[in-house]
Amino acid sequence: MDSAFPYSLFPSFYDPGPPDRNPLDLGGWGKYEHVQPFSVEAGEQQEAELKWSALKSLTQESWEPLEPVAVPLLPAKTVCKFRPVSLEELTYTGRIMTAGERDEMTMGALNFTEQGKARQTAISVNHLRTFTERVKQRECPLSSGSKRARLLNLLLRESVFDIPPNLLAENIHEEMKIQRNKLLFDHSATGGALVYCPFSKGVHFEEGCLIYPGSESMNSLNFRKIKLGLDDDKMPKLSMKFKPVKFKLNGRIHQIDYSTVEEEAYVGVRSDYHCGVWKLSQEVNPSALQVVQMANMATCINVSPHVPGELVIASECGAAYLWILDKGLQKIRKETDNLYFNAQLPWRWCDFTAHPRVYMYADRTGLDLTDVRAGETCNQTLFKIGAAADCQRGERVILPKHLRDVNPYHYLITTQNSAYIVDERFPTVPVLKWVHMMESPPMFAQVACGTVRNRTNKIVLGSQRAQEVLLLQYSGGMQLPCQSFGPPQKLSSIYDMMQHLPVRLPHQHEVVAERLHSAGAGLATLYHCRGKKTLSVFQLSAVGDLFYQMLVRKNSSANGQSVSGASRARVGSNHEPNNSILSKEVQSINHSTEPRLEGAEDLAQGEGERLEVNSSLSGVDEQRVQSFIKQSTNKPSTPSCAALAMCRRWINSFLKKQKKFQSGSDMLHKHSVFSTKRLFSCKRFKKGKESNDAYKEVWDKMKAVMEKKEVLCHSTFPILDSVSVPDLVDPSMWRDELSERLTAAWEGKWSEWWAEKLGVNRDKKIQALRAKRRREKLARAGQRSGLSGSFTSSVSNLSDFSDFSGWSRSSVVDSEHGDYLSGTESNVLSNKSTEVKQSIGTVTEESRQEREVQSNVSVVEQSRTPMPEPILSQEIRLVGIPKERKRILQNYLAALEDHPPQPSEGDDGISWSLPLASSTQMSFAEPSQMASTCEMSWLSSSQSQLGPSQPKKKRARMGF
Amino acid sequence: MSTLKAPCTMTPEVVSVSACTWEVNGRLPGNGTLPGARGCSGLSWFHINGELKMDDEVAELIEERDHSTDEERAWTSSSHSEIRLHLPTSVLQFQNVKDGKQTGFRRTAQTCLNRIHKAVFHHQWHTAAELMPNYFQILEDNTTRKQRSAGQVIWRMGTAILQHHPNSCIEDINSFAGKMKSIGVKHYLKVCLEYAIHLLCNGKMDEAYRELSLAETWRYGEQSASQQKVLKLIQGYRALIDYYTWVKKNSGVQERGDDAVDSGTAQEMHNYFRQASIGLHDAVQNPGVWDPFILSYVNLLDFYDGFEEALKVLNNYAYDSRFPPNPNAHVYLYEFLKKHGTSPKKLMKVLRVLYQLVPSHELMLEFNSLLLESKKKKHHKEALGVLFCLLDFPTWKENYSTWKCLTKQMKHAIAEGHSDWIKEQWELRQDWWPAFHFSEYRAHKNFEENESYACRKAMIAGILMGKGCKYFIIVYRLGRKVQKAKLKKMRQYVKDHSLLQLSEC
């Protein structure tokens, strides 16, 4: 019967009080702890019946992983947008030196050899004055990296800071400490955000729903059907073929809990300030039912296993509520202080108990049972940190869990050191205790129970930071007292995958390692106890990766660990099968292995690897190695091909995502500069001098030239033979494809050439053209009046060709447009030119106020010929240019005016526009071939588009 | 210089170097050679306050690590972190702090231990056994404290490995345990006890008895509190074995018949009784859970007509406030009293206490029937309450006989004109029982599984919530097709006696 209480419990001392001094931390190895006899009723005689059984029994179900590592369940979906700060970085202990403390600074005054430094450390009073004037304005007057800022900082010290540096430093220290503690332990993830909800179980298959958060900020809730079946080799296999149902929430999901009541699963989801409920069943897709918002940070959500649609939630202020769907919240309890001693910790937890109206309320100091029927006073201690539970000092409750399906009277409680099973019928004294020996406290736990009586229940504990997974087994709690089975077993952690991966580039390796090291966020188990027994463990990491590992029950050696009474008898039978496999595999080792075929194959591989590992260790006794190999292969140590493929797939997907993201962020830092300062150092030449006289000569000459501050060329440095510059190659001479490609490559347009050639960018080009046209059309209306402005900007805006072309194109568009209105282009265009003139007039009117340009403007106004008008507009534009440069520009433009190009009316405006374009682009260098070709090509392309109307258009421009 | 050797034979195919042969060349501190307990320095992390700078803090952590028994571990300070946690070693490795005590020798040993732990965690017993001999060099450490703790580590890890290693045999464990007894006076008793338990689990009661008696008589200096505890346990277990020997002898005597008992056998029997009872008596004095000891002790006393004494022991076990609230204490008392034909009133009293402690206990059915047997109305009312309470618990939810009892008693109460008793119980539960017991889903399911059970439940639902409740309607609809007459009758009954009816009146 389910409700039976063990008739005889294991003996133990009871000592209520604070915990003792911490004993030596030895872990829970090699201890029976307590023992009691059980008389087995079958036998006649007393002696045969009596069997002693220990609290920590040695017998155990032996579970072996199918793969030596946890395998990714899904390809990576997210990428971290920034590099997470590591624990080591936050725990720097070296002395942080401020500039003032630096030794060189104090020495500086006496060290005359470093007088040059004075220049570096001095700052002009003018700067100081402007700075102090500007410092009243809120924005920072200096860029932080500048030398001047550093110097000012040294000089002014604390006087200019809003927050005194000492205080600021203290606060930063504090913040770092908080961040570090958060990295070590973040209580918001307690309970875990991953659950597996089984729907139907058959002998060889099982179907259920995996509920997990996804996306970068872990705010999308995924419901995904998964199926456990057998593959062709009769090995259990998970299939994830179904599409997930997704819900987008507006907060990071911290905890997911579910309960199946009356064949409908209720799923509670907790984020920082919201809790929500979903309902699903095998047939019906999940649907959101209700959401509540909390004023304080929510710390817990649990779904009732008794009554459908009931949940409990707790928040940091210490309040716990019963949440009945459609009825709202009902306060169960509120405690402002901690339960058993003043630990001043805000974390609270609550859960259901065996009685639907009694609730468990917990904080870091212990657990309490609250009976809401009898009002708030009816509380009973269930567990408290203290000597009764044999706690250590500093131990705190990390995760309490009601073991609903396993035994409704039982609770699993984890602390930093131990895991306890507590029976609510016998409060305060744990019925079972393990020292779990995990590095970081177990924050996630799942307990799976078999269906048969006298089953062993499996506890899987998962920790947050180190992502360890531990398997514990126990039984009892009904007729028989609780007994643990076998020592704890560690399952492989996510990071173990690393050693089986192919070698990658160091930075990729680093990124992958960092990713695999990210904290845990949840743990789920799928225990299939019919047919071939399997235990699948799913792990969720804080960045949203899902991993799983599958364990299978090894049947032959269930009794393997009990020491039989007969002396000299080999204990345990699991060695024999091993040996037979070993002998078998010696033959099979040479065969090309198709892993997953048989356990033996995997074993063979493992053997090989081990051998390699050991032979690589120098100085290891050969015999020892042999014996070691012979004995120590219990497990396959290399993952199967399928598993490796999954791993590789995951890594590739992750690296692809990472790269994509990085290429985006690298755009910002593209212009890296290489220092060539030390490329030809003096030392090298000196070295050369020693070896060869010729070098010395060169060196001396060079030195001489340099002393004279002359340019090192043939005339000043005659030692070198003059090398004639090869003739310029005219690429237009070479018309074959290869040459064209080489030309393109020379100009850095190799990929574009190929794109052009293959027609890859056709669509893109067409689209770009269309978009451009559309844009221009849109811009037309507004630009019409300010056309001259657009033109001038195209000239002064030094390299901006597109605007220029845009202008000309827009005029074309306009002309097309004009077709509709009047029909004759020339007419329209001439109209247009007058319009432009007028607009320029207005601009000049406006700019007359500008004193600097005024004279020029008047000049322009006097000579109002069509020709110099562009210059006028140029001058208007000069307003924004620094004085010195303005002068140069003006000179240049004046020169242009003196020798205007002689365009023939019939010839086009190209030659006219050329100097303008080249002057702007090539910064007053003589118009080079290159620029002109560019110009040419642009013009030719525009020509092709202009078609027959082109000459007229040019004339229009001449009209200026 | 003492040398440990735990010999072990291997299977022939395994090469000559045995995995289990460990040679300890280090010095094991002998029993008498230990200096006085050099107390570990007070744990410094307690004194760290928030004002300290980070580097100071970590420096202190490192210092703490040196002083702590487990040198690889340091803790976060209590100032801001929520809980006390291990700082990962990686944090300390990168620190620029001189760490003089962390010699290469110790680091090597610690690395070795870590690898042993890893192997044991993954149940790779062969690997662990291979590594274990390398760890023995830690015994050559120059501090006594280290040596002492290392001794314990060796004992525990070694035992774990030997217990699970497929090639280990009982002799290995025996000799290992024998050697381990000398790792220090403080641990002698613990080692003995664990070894005795090992023997017991392997069915070697006689050897275990010898081991325990030896340990019981072992004396060395002042005993610490923890040693006292272990000694008490040893005493208790030894007495328990005495008891079982006595039981065995006794049953032999019983078989032969009472006449054949000669004075010698009687004397021997009495000796066992005396030894067992003294040991058990001492063991159960301390607060704790002593179920097997109490059972044996009470049996013994009972056999030798010590009714009063046994009752006293049981009463003490059940009602002494120093003891934890063990439900079994009350169960034993109840059973003892019942066996001796105590009045129902006294039995009820015991069970009432148990009812307060564990309302879901199986004995509550007996409590219920006891209450019903009584003539008092008060008890009948209480009986109804006990049943309702049982049905609150999910483990009793689908218990046919309990529902049957409830039907019967509700009918009885109604017949007696005490519908208010039912109402009183119902008012406590009316907000959740409908969803817990009487949902539509459950109506269909119950009817599928057991028709008469569903009908019975439907009647209760009808009485409690009126004939309009879902459960009743569904079962009625389903059942009408099968047992029309019976259900009609039931409907009529519900119509007449439902609580709604009562409130309307």
Side-chain angles (χ1 to χ4, degrees), chain B residues 410-477:
Chain B
M410 273 169 71
K411 273 186 175 172
H412 185 74
I414 289 167
E416 297 269 311
H418 287 296
S419 297
D420 54 318
W421 294 353
I422 302 169
K423 201 178 174 199
E424 201 177 295
Q425 293 298 330
W426 176 242
E427 270 167 359
L428 289 171
R429 295 172 172 86
Q430 59 184 356
D431 59 329
W432 60 280
W433 264 39
F436 186 59
H437 283 305
F438 305 125
S439 65
E440 285 174 60
Y441 169 85
R442 223 151 264 292
H444 285 286
K445 201 171 167 232
N446 289 341
F447 193 82
E448 260 171 51
E449 281 167 3
N450 190 334
E451 282 174 29
S452 61
Y453 164 66
C455 289
R456 215 170 276 139
K457 233 175 123 176
M459 194 168 92
I460 293 172
I463 292 168
L464 295 171
M465 291 180 285
K467 68 181 167 51
C469 82
K470 281 180 208 155
Y471 193 95
F472 183 78
I473 290 172
I474 288 164
V475 173
Y476 183 72
R477 256 190 229 140

Side-chain angles (χ1 to χ4, degrees), chain A residues 64-175:
Chain A
E64 292 216 329
L66 270 182
E67 304 284 350
V69 292
V71 178
L73 195 63
L74 297 168
K77 293 251 167 72
T78 60
V79 60
C80 196
K81 296 254 153 114
F82 50 90
R83 218 184 127 262
V85 66
S86 76
L87 206 56
E88 290 78 25
E89 285 161 348
L90 287 173
T91 325
Y92 180 72
T93 60
R95 285 179 65 78
I96 299 166
M97 288 214 258
T98 56
E101 287 174 38
R102 210 171 283 159
D103 291 343
E104 309 104 78
M105 288 298 290
T106 49
M107 291 288 287
L110 294 173
N111 192 351
F112 296 108
T113 56
E114 288 184 36
Q115 259 178 343
K117 271 203 173 165
R119 214 170 297 142
Q120 285 174 26
T121 52
I123 188 165
S124 145
V125 180
N126 273 337
H127 288 313
L128 186 61
R129 209 182 56 218
T130 49
F131 176 80
T132 43
E133 272 166 13
R134 282 196 220 157
V135 83
K136 289 167 205 148
Q137 296 154 11
R138 274 288 154 179
E139 75 267 11
C140 182
L142 292 170
S143 69
S144 60
S146 80
K147 183 186 143 201
R148 207 182 287 169
R150 194 168 48 80
L151 289 172
L152 276 170
N153 178 35
L154 271 178
L155 197 66
L156 298 170
R157 288 278 173 87
E158 297 180 8
S159 55
V160 291
F161 289 95
D162 280 347
I163 306 166
N166 277 345
L167 184 65
L168 190 67
E170 243 167 63
N171 284 333
I172 288 172
H173 268 297
E174 199 78 347
E175 178 60 24

Side-chain angles (χ1 to χ4, degrees), chain A residues 815-816 818-819 822-831 948-950 952-953:
Chain A
S815 70
E816 280 168 8
D819 270 348
S822 61
T824 58
E825 277 173 23
S826 53
N827 199 8
V828 176
L829 286 168
S830 57
N831 280 349
S949 71
Q950 190 222 351
K952 278 179 188 170
K953 184 224 129 201

Side-chain angles (χ1 to χ4, degrees), chain B residues 329-341:
Chain B
H330 305 275
V331 174
Y332 300 154
L333 183 61
Y334 168 75
E335 281 178 347
F336 182 74
L337 291 175
K338 196 178 155 195
K339 191 176 151 197
H340 289 276

Side-chain angles (χ1 to χ4, degrees), chain A residues 367-382:
Chain A
L367 277 69
D368 220 356
L369 295 179
T370 307
D371 193 337
V372 290
R373 295 167 302 172
E376 289 202 10
T377 48
C378 193
N379 301 319
Q380 190 193 4
T381 301
L382 178 63

Side-chain angles (χ1 to χ4, degrees), chain A residues 263-464:
Chain A
E263 289 182 6
E264 278 181 331
Y266 288 83
V267 180
V269 176
R270 167 172 68 88
S271 66
D272 277 337
Y273 292 98
H274 292 92
C275 294
V277 192
W278 274 255
K279 186 165 96 170
L280 78 156
S281 62
Q282 188 167 18
E283 292 85 24
V284 189
N285 264 347
S287 57
L289 298 182
Q290 231 180 334
V291 178
V292 288
Q293 189 175 6
M294 319 274 290
N296 292 69
M297 185 94 92
T299 53
C300 150
I301 187 165
N302 276 305
V303 186
S304 169
H306 309 300
V307 182
E310 282 190 8
L311 297 100
V312 281
I313 48 182
S315 68
E316 274 194 345
C317 65
Y321 299 92
L322 172 66
W323 177 13
I324 304 175
L325 290 183
D326 306 324
K327 280 187 191 167
L329 300 180
Q330 190 181 321
K331 190 182 276 180
I332 299 169
R333 192 165 173 179
K334 177 160 180 154
E335 294 286 336
T336 43
D337 300 325
N338 283 129
L339 287 173
Y340 299 107
F341 50 89
N342 186 17
Q344 291 181 324
L345 295 169
W347 178 85
R348 296 289 188 285
W349 194 261
C350 57
D351 206 338
F352 291 87
T353 66
H355 193 290
R357 280 294 174 267
V358 178
Y359 304 97
M360 179 255 273
Y361 180 85
D363 62 19
R364 296 267 180 242
T365 63
L367 277 69
D368 220 356
L369 295 179
T370 307
D371 193 337
V372 290
R373 295 167 302 172
E376 289 202 10
T377 48
C378 193
N379 301 319
Q380 190 193 4
T381 301
L382 178 63
F383 174 84
K384 75 179 176 196
I385 295 291
D390 202 11
C391 291
Q392 291 189 13
R393 211 148 65 173
E395 211 170 322
R396 297 285 180 270
V397 175
I398 303 294
L399 172 77
K401 192 177 175 72
H402 178 218
L403 303 183
R404 306 150 182 194
D405 308 322
V406 183
N407 187 334
Y409 301 102
H410 279 187
Y411 302 84
L412 171 73
I413 297 162
T414 64
T415 64
Q416 299 102 298
N417 307 86
S418 315
Y420 302 86
I421 300 279
V422 178
D423 193 313
E424 72 169 54
R425 294 167 293 187
F426 189 6
T428 66
V429 181
V431 288
L432 200 55
K433 176 189 174 177
W434 291 272
V435 181
H436 58 62
M437 297 169 279
M438 286 163 86
E439 273 176 44
S440 60
M443 208 181 240
F444 319 114
Q446 294 290 336
V447 183
C449 68
T451 44
V452 257
R453 209 150 286 291
N454 286 336
R455 67 236 172 154
T456 62
N457 305 315
K458 278 127 213 104
I459 300 177
V460 184
L461 298 177
S463 72
Q464 187 181 30

Side-chain angles (χ1 to χ4, degrees), chain A residues 7 9 12 27 29 31-32 88 91 93 174 180 187 262 354-355 409 416 490 563 568 571 579 631 635, chain B residues 13-14 80 82 84 90 95 121-122 126 156 166 168 194 198 202 289 291 332 335 392 394-395 439:
Chain A
Y7 186 67
L9 298 168
S12 69
W29 302 115
K31 262 171 103 175
Y32 292 99
E88 290 78 25
T91 325
T93 60
E174 199 78 347
R180 184 192 68 183
H187 73 67
E262 301 182 350
H355 193 290
Y409 301 102
Q416 299 102 298
K490 231 178 209 174
V563 183
R568 284 279 148 211
V571 202
N579 279 344
Q631 293 167 9
K635 290 177 186 177
Chain B
E13 67 268 21
V14 181
H80 278 280
E82 253 192 282
R84 192 168 174 244
S90 62
Q95 303 314 322
F121 261 129
H122 288 101
H126 292 286
R156 298 280 286 277
S168 78
E194 283 289 324
H198 175 79
N202 288 297
V289 183
D291 290 359
Y332 300 154
E335 281 178 347
D392 280 351
T395 48
S439 65

Side-chain angles (χ1 to χ4, degrees), chain B residues 113-275:
Chain B
L113 185 61
N114 288 346
R115 293 186 68 167
I116 294 171
H117 274 149
K118 198 180 161 199
V120 172
F121 261 129
H122 288 101
H123 292 193
Q124 295 165 341
W125 308 112
H126 292 286
T127 317
E130 277 281 309
L131 290 166
M132 199 62 200
N134 299 319
Y135 184 67
F136 293 158
Q137 63 172 316
I138 191 66
L139 295 170
E140 290 176 20
D141 196 287
N142 50 8
T143 60
T144 359
R145 187 166 55 83
K146 197 69 208 164
Q147 278 177 25
R148 247 183 303 165
S149 70
Q152 283 191 74
V153 171
I154 289 170
W155 164 46
R156 298 280 286 277
M157 294 309 299
T159 315
I161 293 166
L162 283 174
Q163 278 170 353
H164 294 97
H165 197 285
N167 288 3
S168 78
C169 58
I170 198 102
E171 278 78 10
D172 295 335
I173 298 180
N174 289 351
S175 70
F176 185 71
K179 296 284 189 294
M180 283 302 121
K181 280 176 196 167
S182 58
I183 58 169
V185 267
K186 274 192 169 177
H187 310 292
Y188 177 78
L189 290 173
K190 278 188 215 159
V191 177
C192 286
L193 180 60
E194 283 289 324
Y195 180 52
I197 292 175
H198 175 79
L199 292 171
L200 278 176
C201 287
N202 288 297
K204 297 182 176 174
M205 218 159 86
D206 299 337
E207 284 176 41
Y209 185 79
R210 229 174 297 136
E211 194 71 32
L212 287 170
S213 335
L214 263 174
E216 202 182 342
T217 50
W218 178 83
R219 288 284 177 277
Y220 180 83
E222 284 279 296
Q223 281 168 350
S224 67
S226 65
Q227 272 177 314
Q228 289 282 2
K229 278 189 175 178
V230 180
L231 198 62
K232 284 269 184 270
L233 281 175
I234 287 173
Q235 208 175 358
Y237 285 127
R238 197 263 307 142
L240 203 59
I241 298 173
D242 272 329
Y243 165 75
Y244 280 105
T245 324
W246 173 84
V247 168
K248 195 174 134 193
K249 292 250 155 51
N250 193 33
S251 66
V253 171
Q254 300 284 328
E255 265 169 37
R256 272 177 279 149
D258 284 333
D259 314 334
V261 182
D262 55 68
S263 60
T265 322
Q267 188 57 44
E268 196 193 341
M269 293 277 292
H270 199 78
N271 270 345
Y272 279 117
F273 158 71
R274 206 170 43 79
Q275 278 178 23

